[in-house]
C-alpha cells in the first residue's frame, strides 16, 4: 500500500485518483434542481470539541442524525458510480454480500475532524458572477426556489442556481439560433467551427478556469481525462480544511470548440461545523463489512450458477430443466460473498445527508478493486465515532395512504397517493429547516356499502415557505417521497 503523502498531510496515505461520479453526472443532472445544506444543530463556542478545541464529548458536539443514504445518479461506464439507488459504500441489495479486505496495514487517522456545511442563501451577485464566467448576459431572476439566467424556454444558454445553500447550479448550452452582431455578447451566439475532436486536457483546464474561480474552486485538484463523446469534462475535486472530498466535485464540460458546453456544482462556500472524535481506517472497514453482512443475511446463494436457483419447494422458472442444462444446487440458501480488495485508504470528507441536508462528514475513502483484476472504485465509510452517530430509522410499513410522489411550485406542494373510493382525504404538512413531513388523513364513509377499489389521488398543501431543496418525508412510513 502506498505511503506517499502530500505536504502537511498527516491523515494517511493518498489514494489513486479516479474520476468521481458526482462530477461525471454533470450532463445527467443538467437543468435539474436539488441539492442543499443546512445544519440544524449548532454547538456552543466554549472552546470544546464542537468549535474545534479540546476533546469531543456528547455535551460539546451534537449527535449526527443521518438520513437514509441517497445515491448519485449512475453514469454508464464510470467505476465510481454505484448502480441506481445505491449509495457509495452500500452493497447492492440485489447482489451477493461483499467482503472488503485490506492488502496492507491501514492508517489510524487524525483522531478528530469537523463536519462542513453551507448555510444561508445564494445572493444575486453570486449568481451574476458565475453567469459572467459562463458568458451568459442578463440579470438573475427568480423562478420558484431558484435563480435563473438565460433562455429558459428556447435555444441558447441557461444557468439555474437553487437559492438555498449550497446553491446547486446547473448550466447547459443548447443549439444556437442565429449569430450575434459583431462585438456583442449573446447567449445564443454561434460557436466557432469545431472539428468534432475533443480539446486537449490542458486546453480544457484553461477553459474551465474562469468558472472554477467564480465558484471558489480555483485551487482544486483537476482531472480532465474524462470524455463524453467529443466533450471533455474537467472534474474539480476541492480540498476542505486540508482534506480531500468525495461528493462535492464541480464538473465543467468543454466542447470541441473550446467553450464551456455545460456543467454543475455548488456555489455557496462551506463553513466549518462541530468537531468529532473519529475512528481509524481498520475500524471503519469493520463497520463497512458488518453492514454488508447484515444485508447479505437476506441474500440467496446462486450456487455458482449463471442464473438464480430456487430453494426447495419453490417453483422453477421456465419449467422443468432440460437434460443438457447444468444442474446447480445452492449449498446453504445464501449467496457466497464476493471479496473486494482495499488497496488504499485516505481520510477525508464525504457527502452525507443529515436531517435532510447535504453535509460533508469525516469519512474514510477506500480505494477498492472489485475481484481479481476488476475495476477500481471509491467506497466511503463515515469515520465519526459511533456514539456520536444516530443512524436512520428503518421505515415502517404503511398502507394505501403512503405518499408516492410530489410536485412542487413555490409554496404549493401537490402530493400523490393511493386511497379508497369511499373515503375522503386531506393532506397536511409539518415544516422544518431540512424537511417537510406530509401526513395524509383518511375519513372513511360512515354509512352504506363500499366497494374495495383503490385509485390514485392527489391533494394540494400550501406551505409556509417555498419548498426549495428541503426533503419531503411521508410521516406514516418515514420514507423519502420522490419528486414526480
Amino acid at each position: 500500500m502506498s505511503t506517499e503523502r502530500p505536504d502537511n498531510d498527516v491523515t494517511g496515505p493518498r489514494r489513486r485518483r479516479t474520476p468521481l461520479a458526482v462530477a461525471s453526472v454533470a450532463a445527467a443532472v443538467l437543468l435539474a434542481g436539488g441539492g442543499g445544506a443546512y445544519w440544524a444543530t449548532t454547538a456552543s463556542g466554549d472552546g470544546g470539541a464542537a468549535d474545534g478545541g479540546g476533546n469531543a464529548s456528547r455535551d460539546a458536539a451534537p449527535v449526527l442524525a443521518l438520513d437514509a443514504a441517497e445515491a448519485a445518479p449512475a453514469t454508464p461506464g464510470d467505476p465510481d458510480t454505484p448502480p441506481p439507488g445505491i449509495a457509495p459504500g452500500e452493497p447492492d441489495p440485489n447482489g451477493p454480500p461483499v467482503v472488503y479486505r485490506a492488502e496492507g496495514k491501514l492508517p489510524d487517522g487524525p483522531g478528530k475532524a469537523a463536519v462542513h456545511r453551507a448555510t444561508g442563501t445564494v445572493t444575486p451577485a453570486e449568481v451574476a458572477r458565475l453567469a459572467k464566467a459562463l458568458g451568459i448576459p442578463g440579470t438573475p431572476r427568480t423562478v420558484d426556489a431558484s435563480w435563473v439566467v438565460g433562455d429558459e424556454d428556447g435555444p441558447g444558454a441557461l444557468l439555474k442556481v437553487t437559492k438555498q445553500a449550497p446553491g446547486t447550479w446547473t448550466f447547459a448550452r443548447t443549439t444556437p439560433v442565429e449569430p450575434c452582431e459583431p462585438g456583442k455578447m449573446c447567449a445564443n451566439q454561434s460557436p466557432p467551427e469545431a472539428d468534432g475532436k475533443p480539446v486537449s486536457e490542458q486546453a480544457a483546464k484553461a477553459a474551465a478556469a474562469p468558472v472554477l474561480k467564480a465558484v471558489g474552486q480555483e485551487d482544486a485538484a483537476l482531472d480532465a481525462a474524462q470524455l463524453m463523446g467529443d466533450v471533455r469534462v474537467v472534474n474539480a475535486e476541492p480540498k476542505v480544511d486540508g482534506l480531500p472530498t468525495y461528493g462535492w466535485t464541480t464538473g465543467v464540460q468543454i466542447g470541441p470548440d473550446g467553450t464551456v458546453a455545460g456543467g454543475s456544482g455548488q456555489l455557496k462556500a462551506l463553513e466549518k461545523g462541530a468537531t468529532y472524535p473519529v475512528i481509524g481506517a481498520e475500524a471503519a472497514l469493520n463497520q463497512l463489512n458488518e453492514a454488508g453482512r447484515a444485508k447479505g443475511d437476506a441474500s440467496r446463494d446462486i450456487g455458482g450458477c449463471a442464473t438464480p436457483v430456487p430453494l426447495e419447494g419453490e417453483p422453477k422458472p421456465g419449467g422443468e430443466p432440460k437434460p443438457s442444462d447444468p444442474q446447480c444446487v445452492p449449498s446453504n440458501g445464501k449467496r457466497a460473498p464476493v471479496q473486494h480488495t482495499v488497496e488504499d485508504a485516505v481520510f477525508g470528507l464525504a457527502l452525507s445527508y443529515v436531517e435532510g441536508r447535504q453535509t460533508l462528514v469525516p469519512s474514510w475513502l477506500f480505494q477498492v478493486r472489485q475481484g481479481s483484476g476488476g475495476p477500481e472504485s471509491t467506497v466511503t465509510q463515515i469515520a465519526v465515532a459511533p456514539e456520536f452517530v444516530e443512524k436512520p430509522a428503518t421505515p415502517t410499513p404503511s398502507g394505501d395512504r403512503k405518499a408516492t410522489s410530489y410536485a412542487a411550485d413555490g409554496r404549493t406542494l401537490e402530493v400523490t397517493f393511493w386511497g379508497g373510493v369511499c373515503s375522503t382525504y386531506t393532506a397536511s404538512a409539518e415544516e422544518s429547516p431540512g424537511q417537510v413531513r406530509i401526513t395524509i388523513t383518511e375519513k372513511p364513509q360512515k354509512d352504506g356499502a363500499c366497494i374495495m377499489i383503490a385509485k390514485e389521488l392527489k391533494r394540494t398543501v400550501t406551505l409556509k415557505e417555498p419548498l426549495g431543496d428541503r426533503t419531503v418525508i411521508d410521516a406514516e412510513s418515514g420514507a423519502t417521497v420522490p419528486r414526480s
Side-chain angles (χ1 to χ4, degrees), residues 75-163:
T75 300
D78 192 328
D80 272 331
T81 305
I86 304 170
E90 290 289 327
D92 184 351
N94 297 318
V98 175
V99 175
Y100 299 94
R101 299 191 185 280
E103 67 175 10
K105 181 176 174 56
L106 296 174
D108 294 329
K112 61 181 180 179
V115 298
H116 289 75
R117 72 282 183 268
T119 60
T121 56
V122 177
T123 66
E126 292 171 322
V127 178
R129 183 177 69 242
L130 176 57
K132 182 178 179 181
L134 292 167
I136 312 177
T139 301
R141 63 186 185 276
T142 295
V143 176
D144 295 332
S146 298
W147 293 110
V148 173
V149 185
D151 300 331
E152 188 171 17
D153 299 321
L158 178 66
L159 170 66
K160 296 185 72 173
V161 184
T162 56
K163 291 184 177 181

Side-chain angles (χ1 to χ4, degrees), residues 47-457:
D51 53 8
N55 294 322
S57 68
R58 279 197 178 276
D59 295 334
V63 173
L64 282 175
L66 296 179
D67 296 340
E70 297 191 26
T75 300
D78 192 328
D80 272 331
T81 305
I86 304 170
E90 290 289 327
D92 184 351
N94 297 318
V98 175
V99 175
Y100 299 94
R101 299 191 185 280
E103 67 175 10
K105 181 176 174 56
L106 296 174
D108 294 329
K112 61 181 180 179
V115 298
H116 289 75
R117 72 282 183 268
T119 60
T121 56
V122 177
T123 66
E126 292 171 322
V127 178
R129 183 177 69 242
L130 176 57
K132 182 178 179 181
L134 292 167
I136 312 177
T139 301
R141 63 186 185 276
T142 295
V143 176
D144 295 332
S146 298
W147 293 110
V148 173
V149 185
D151 300 331
E152 188 171 17
D153 299 321
L158 178 66
L159 170 66
K160 296 185 72 173
V161 184
T162 56
K163 291 184 177 181
Q164 180 67 41
T168 301
W169 63 271
T170 58
F171 169 70
R173 195 182 301 279
T174 57
T175 304
V177 180
E178 58 185 12
C180 288
E181 298 177 11
K184 189 176 182 180
M185 180 187 294
C186 294
N188 64 350
Q189 187 172 5
S190 295
E193 291 293 331
D195 56 9
K197 297 180 181 179
V199 299
S200 66
E201 293 189 22
Q202 182 178 359
K205 292 177 181 178
V211 178
L212 296 175
K213 183 177 180 179
V215 299
Q217 292 193 13
E218 62 267 34
D219 297 327
L222 304 182
D223 186 337
Q226 182 184 358
L227 290 175
M228 299 170 56
D230 59 3
V231 174
R232 188 174 292 278
V233 182
V234 179
N235 292 323
E237 301 182 45
K239 279 195 171 183
V240 175
D241 203 18
L243 298 174
T245 58
Y246 186 91
W248 209 256
T249 308
T250 295
V252 183
Q253 303 168 27
I254 308 300
D257 60 345
T259 63
V260 179
S264 67
Q266 299 81 27
L267 184 55
K268 204 71 176 174
L270 290 160
E271 298 178 2
K272 189 174 183 178
T275 298
Y276 294 88
V278 297
I279 59 178
E282 184 175 356
L285 191 64
N286 289 338
Q287 288 186 358
L288 193 61
N289 283 328
E290 283 297 327
R293 277 191 286 268
K295 291 195 173 184
D297 285 344
S299 299
R300 292 249 312 273
D301 192 1
I302 60 173
C305 303
T307 56
V309 177
L311 297 180
E312 184 176 358
E314 291 185 343
K316 298 179 181 180
E320 293 297 324
K322 300 178 182 178
S324 59
D325 291 339
Q327 300 299 307
C328 302
V329 179
S331 57
N332 57 4
K334 296 181 180 179
R335 291 187 177 184
V338 175
Q339 181 169 309
H340 289 182
T341 302
V342 176
E343 297 184 333
D344 207 350
V346 66
F347 188 83
L349 300 170
L351 177 64
S352 294
Y353 282 79
V354 179
E355 297 182 349
R357 302 294 176 168
Q358 298 179 47
T359 307
L360 286 181
V361 178
S363 302
W364 283 101
L365 315 179
F366 295 108
Q367 191 68 18
V368 173
R369 184 174 296 279
Q370 302 176 21
S372 177
E376 288 187 349
S377 62
T378 300
V379 176
T380 68
Q381 175 63 32
I382 288 178
V384 174
E387 60 268 27
F388 287 86
V389 177
E390 180 182 333
K391 295 184 178 180
T394 302
T396 57
S398 63
D400 291 336
R401 288 180 290 111
K402 175 183 175 181
T404 57
S405 65
Y406 75 91
D409 183 8
R411 294 171 54 215
T412 301
L413 195 69
E414 185 181 66
V415 183
T416 302
F417 61 97
W418 287 89
V421 297
C422 297
S423 297
T424 56
Y425 297 89
T426 57
S428 60
E430 178 185 349
E431 301 183 50
S432 66
Q435 296 180 349
V436 173
R437 299 181 68 86
I438 297 297
T439 299
I440 300 171
T441 304
E442 178 183 10
K443 185 177 181 180
Q445 176 180 293
K446 290 184 177 180
D447 302 321
C450 180
I451 56 175
M452 300 298 290
I453 295 179
K455 65 177 181 178
E456 191 174 60
L457 303 171

